[in-house]
Amino acid sequence: MTAVSENIKLSQLRALIAVSERGNFSEAALHLNISQSAISHAIATLEEELGVVLLARGRHGATTTPIGEQVIARARQIMELLEGMVHEVQLQRGLQGGRLRIASFRSAATHLIPPVIARFRERFSEITITITEHDDYADVEQDLRLGRADLGFTHLPCSGELETWEILRDEYVVLLPASSHVISPKNKRGLTWEELARYPLILESDGTGCSLLVRNHLKKYGQSFHIAYEVKEDSTVVGMVAQGLGAAILPRLAAEPIPQGIRIYSLPDKLERVIGVAVLANALHVPAVYAFLDALKGVGLFAGNTSTVSVA
């Protein structure tokens, strides 16, 4: 390190950047909440240390010289590095304890969250994690809006109050009993709507988001489906199919683990739900939220950003 660089102060770099952005010393002084003379002294001292003129003063303000432009570019890099260093320290200080509250619908809580928590725990073992499981994703979003959860696993798209990331796309599949023989060797395309309509259907109880999605999908194709059973729990639906009581349509994630012998088919026309993670938009989040999002990326769950969150 040279003697010159040792004498340069961060306050001088801030003053230089402020004047270059605002075009005059008075507005830069107001922005930094210091006197105009302090701004002038900081820049004059910096120019003396470097041995070059950084700002050309005139009646209409101050403009940067060619060498001044280069110095300002470096000054901005230094300030960005400093802000990043401070942020990392503050983040780590906030991750030495505390609590992270997660709201989720059940199949995500069962199959998606545990590996993320395992990765999260490798670095932040002192943070307490609470998981609230809901039957429907609408309750997850309500928890976020009311401040009862810091982060939620839900279906996309969400309301504009939430900022979200897509995690995965979960296909709806048809579950048929082991004894079913609806697919003839001549049919190379898989299950047809006519074949599915021969079975009594076991669907999730009406009123949930998933149930509404399935029922609206079935209405499109002009078939008369017999909904014989409406069941709340996914595991009960799977168990009823295993007993030969009918066919079911479930997201693959919700159907897991699928008992041996149950036949799985894609719907004749594909249907899927988009699963995402969400936080309340324009809110101050605890550091553990960002650390958990990093853990999500670490286990490869991010399929792509639906929107972004700025790390404050």
Side-chain angles (χ1 to χ4, degrees):
M1 182 179 293
T2 65
V4 171
S5 61
E6 289 176 352
N7 293 331
I8 293 175
K9 298 179 176 62
L10 291 175
S11 58
Q12 296 169 341
L13 300 182
R14 289 193 186 96
L16 178 64
I17 293 170
V19 174
S20 71
E21 290 177 345
R22 283 155 181 80
N24 62 68
F25 284 72
S26 58
E27 289 189 21
L30 287 172
H31 172 69
L32 295 178
N33 197 28
I34 59 177
S35 67
Q36 184 172 335
S37 61
I39 286 275
S40 298
H41 181 265
I43 292 177
T45 304
L46 179 60
E47 289 178 325
E48 184 178 347
E49 289 290 345
L50 295 175
V52 294
V53 176
L54 302 173
L55 296 171
R57 288 79 163 171
R59 293 178 56 189
H60 302 292
T63 58
T64 53
T65 63
I67 187 60
E69 291 284 355
Q70 297 179 41
V71 172
I72 289 168
R74 295 292 189 182
R76 288 195 175 101
Q77 291 176 357
I78 291 169
M79 300 309 298
E80 288 173 3
L81 288 171
L82 177 63
E83 290 172 4
M85 179 187 72
V86 172
H87 171 72
E88 287 296 327
V89 171
Q90 291 175 338
L91 184 63
Q92 290 300 321
R93 287 177 59 189
L95 290 168
Q96 299 307 309
R99 181 176 62 159
L100 176 64
R101 302 166 302 163
I102 300 173
S104 176
F105 60 95
R106 293 189 186 280
S107 55
T110 301
H111 300 290
L112 300 181
I113 295 179
V116 184
I117 291 178
R119 187 177 183 90
F120 181 84
R121 283 289 186 203
E122 292 174 1
R123 294 184 60 195
F124 311 112
S125 59
E126 296 181 14
I127 293 178
T128 301
I129 298 176
T130 60
I131 302 174
T132 303
E133 297 181 58
H134 293 289
D135 295 324
D136 193 30
Y137 61 87
D139 297 322
V140 174
E141 297 178 22
Q142 184 74 349
D143 276 1
L144 291 170
R145 283 192 288 267
L146 295 178
R148 294 193 294 245
D150 304 304
L151 182 146
F153 286 76
T154 185
H155 295 185
L156 302 183
C158 295
S159 70
E161 300 171 82
L162 303 177
E163 298 192 58
T164 59
W165 293 262
E166 180 180 327
I167 296 175
L168 59 84
R169 293 174 180 254
D170 191 20
E171 182 184 1
Y172 281 78
V173 293
V174 178
L175 307 181
L176 293 179
S179 59
S180 63
H181 297 287
V182 298
I183 306 299
S184 68
K186 295 180 181 179
N187 186 354
K188 304 297 184 183
R189 296 172 298 173
L191 185 69
T192 66
W193 291 116
E194 291 78 9
E195 289 169 325
L196 180 58
R198 297 174 194 167
Y199 275 75
L201 288 184
I202 308 166
L203 297 184
E204 290 182 310
S205 302
D206 198 9
T208 65
C210 279
S211 175
L212 183 63
L213 189 64
V214 170
R215 292 165 194 258
N216 287 340
H217 194 65
L218 293 177
K219 288 177 182 177
K220 298 177 183 177
Y221 301 103
Q223 290 293 321
S224 178
F225 296 99
H226 172 44
I227 301 175
Y229 308 96
E230 294 185 352
V231 183
K232 179 180 179 181
E233 298 294 339
D234 300 328
S235 57
T236 305
V237 173
V238 175
M240 292 175 70
V241 174
Q243 293 300 314
L245 296 175
I249 302 172
L250 285 175
R252 183 178 285 273
L253 199 65
E256 298 288 348
I258 300 173
Q260 187 174 2
I262 286 184
R263 297 173 181 264
I264 306 171
Y265 300 95
S266 294
L267 283 165
D269 289 277
K270 188 176 181 179
L271 176 65
E272 61 184 13
R273 61 178 179 176
V274 181
I275 298 175
V277 62
V279 298
L280 189 63
N282 302 317
L284 293 176
H285 302 294
V286 296
V289 167
Y290 304 112
F292 195 86
L293 292 174
D294 285 341
L296 267 171
K297 296 176 184 177
V299 298
L301 279 179
F302 274 113
N305 280 11
T306 303
S307 61
T308 59
V309 168
S310 298
V311 180

